[in-house]
Amino acid sequence: MTDYRIASIPGDGIGVDVQIEARKVLDAAAKRFGFGLEWTEFDWSCERYTKTGTMMPEDGIEQLRAFDSILLGAVGFPGVPDHVSLWGLLIPVRRAFQQYVNLRPVRLLPGTTSALAGRSAEELEMIIVRENSEGEYSTLGGRHNEGQPGEFVLQESVFTRVGVERIIRYAFEVARTRSGRVTSATKSNGIIHTMPFWDEVFGEVAAQYPDVRAEQTHIDALAARMVQQPDRLDVVVGSNLFGDILSDLAAAVTGGLGMAPSGNINPESEHPSMFEAVHGSAPDIAGQGIANPVAQVLAATMMLEQLGEKEAAAAVNAAVEKVLGEGVVLTPDLGGTATTAQLGSAIAEAV
Ligand code: NAD
Ligand code: IPM
Ligand code: MN
């Protein structure tokens, strides 16, 4: 029997609620398919920060290194500034383990409705390939002339050739396994250094994939297209910030934030990858037991796939589709009255 060592970081807010359900479902899958999941739980969170002054211990990254994978709930809660909590946990993990691909597949599942009227499941299936290690997310810059009339801040973006090339190449490889279409999010009309460079590298990589249809669209127009003609999109590749924004939009047009999973992938598998929902800790509904656990469960199936447990992943996906399709046990965001735990248990039983 293969045993997998998984680091579980529930984090904050609804991260904690949905993590319990994802573990429930994964444990059911492990039992049915005959592999072992050895969970180690870490209390790294804003609560920990409030007590100790740090989100994770100094050797936190070292502690995670030995695991086969990481399942993360969500990080961030009122009381701790977001840039402190996120740069104290989520972003360092993504970077230390070179998880430079943030893969965010979305599709309209049975029993759920798109925010867009009259759209069917066939039209609503996309995958956002988000650059996850550099770009607009940078510590370079600073605040100047503080408190004076001429006060200003500078925020620098870093786009390396290696970083841009590898994410775009990854998107083309994903496209070969899907529709054979890649759309690049750009803003080379307005952002004068980074985006023309992004386009240049996109063009170079596209030339190496003559079998894949490549197009680039300005991020503003792309946002409109995602709402008005989502059927014309499949693989969408974007920088760290553009990919972040587009992934919530893509989630919204395919059934909501409660449905969208995410994998922070280290494609070379030299370090653990980390799986989480696209959504955050949702302080507005935290502690109420009404968060939709499906996004986290689907993130956990992405983890199973990466671990090589394809059959188990397929069974969990089928269980999610079955329960949602029956339309009985649904959380409030899906129009039902079920609790997080009821939906999680229904999926675990269906597995
Ligand atoms: P959010 O995704 O937490 O919430 C946005 C809205 O969607 C809220 O109204 C929320 O109730 C709803 N929502 C989200 N997930 C849901 C679910 N599973 N079921 C039902 N409704 C759901 O975004 P936010 O409000 O911008 O961020 C809250 C906190 O989370 C912030 O501290 C932010 O920095 C953090 N955050 C963390 C991550 C992460 O850890 N990966 C991701 C995004 C945001
Ligand atoms: C996400 C989140 C994070 C991001 C935040 C919380 C730093 O929005 O995972 O999408 O922007 O990467
Ligand atoms: Mn986001």
Side-chain angles (χ1 to χ4, degrees):
M1 183 168 98
T2 316
D3 273 316
Y4 301 102
R5 296 190 60 212
I6 313 295
S8 164
I9 312 173
D12 298 302
I14 66 164
V16 178
D17 309 4
V18 298
Q19 182 84 335
I20 295 169
E21 302 314 313
R23 284 184 56 169
K24 213 188 256 179
V25 173
L26 281 198
D27 285 336
K31 202 167 152 203
R32 178 172 160 203
F33 290 92
F35 57 90
L37 290 173
E38 190 193 306
W39 297 95
T40 304
E41 182 129 339
F42 296 90
D43 68 349
W44 304 348
S45 58
C46 287
E47 199 182 318
R48 184 184 191 280
Y49 181 89
T50 309
K51 287 189 204 142
T52 68
T54 56
M55 293 293 294
M56 63 176 168
E58 218 173 295
D59 67 344
I61 297 294
E62 287 319 306
Q63 290 191 38
L64 293 178
R65 202 177 286 281
F67 287 89
D68 294 313
S69 200
I70 306 165
L71 190 66
L72 175 83
V75 182
F77 215 71
V80 181
D82 280 338
H83 65 276
V84 172
S85 53
L86 277 311
W87 280 87
L89 177 49
L90 178 77
I91 295 174
V93 175
R94 287 178 178 169
R95 292 186 184 198
F97 296 139
Q98 284 287 300
Q99 297 163 348
Y100 61 84
V101 177
N102 194 329
L103 209 51
R104 299 182 146 182
V106 290
R107 65 194 174 103
L108 188 64
L109 290 180
T112 67
T113 30
S114 167
L116 308 177
R119 289 286 182 179
S120 65
E122 299 74 59
E123 298 171 297
L124 291 177
E125 184 160 358
M126 291 179 261
I127 185 161
I128 310 295
V129 179
R130 171 192 180 189
E131 203 295 315
N132 208 32
S133 65
E134 54 172 45
E136 305 88 345
Y137 286 45
S138 143
T139 53
L140 294 180
R143 187 166 184 154
H144 302 271
N145 302 344
E146 196 165 345
Q148 296 168 41
E151 184 170 4
F152 65 97
V153 291
L154 284 176
Q155 172 76 52
E156 297 204 61
S157 298
V158 179
F159 286 74
T160 63
R161 179 169 283 279
V162 167
V164 174
E165 217 233 59
R166 67 189 177 186
I167 194 67
I168 290 173
R169 186 173 298 284
Y170 194 93
F172 277 88
E173 291 293 332
V174 171
R176 277 192 171 157
T177 68
R178 293 171 59 109
S179 61
R181 278 181 294 145
V182 174
T183 306
S184 167
T186 185
K187 190 62 196 173
S188 44
N189 53 355
I191 303 176
I192 203 160
H193 295 300
T194 56
M195 282 298 134
F197 179 67
W198 174 278
D199 290 359
E200 190 183 308
V201 177
F202 183 74
E204 288 167 16
V205 177
Q208 296 163 27
Y209 290 82
D211 52 316
V212 174
R213 199 138 50 91
E215 57 167 2
Q216 56 187 51
T217 304
H218 295 127
I219 179 79
D220 45 359
L222 181 52
R225 171 119 73 94
M226 199 169 271
V227 173
Q228 291 183 313
Q229 298 167 309
D231 48 305
R232 285 184 50 198
L233 297 172
D234 185 47
V235 179
V236 177
V237 64
S239 65
N240 211 330
L241 181 62
F242 290 175
D244 176 50
I245 298 167
L246 288 176
S247 49
D248 274 39
L249 182 57
V253 305
T254 54
L257 275 172
M259 304 292 292
S262 159
N264 302 275
I265 313 282
N266 171 243
E268 290 78 25
S269 298
E270 56 204 338
H271 305 296
S273 293
M274 176 168 66
F275 298 84
E276 54 173 337
V278 166
H279 66 71
S281 59
D284 56 335
I285 57 164
Q288 298 177 30
I290 55 167
N292 182 350
V294 168
Q296 190 70 3
V297 169
L298 295 177
T301 69
M302 290 176 74
M303 181 174 91
L304 287 180
E305 264 164 40
Q306 218 227 3
L307 291 170
E309 297 295 340
K310 313 253 182 236
E311 251 187 299
V316 174
N317 279 326
V320 168
E321 289 190 14
K322 176 171 181 282
V323 171
L324 295 178
E326 285 165 359
V328 181
V329 187
L330 300 176
T331 43
D333 60 307
L334 300 175
T337 56
T339 63
T340 309
Q342 285 168 339
L343 181 48
S345 297
I347 298 167
E349 274 157 36
V351 169

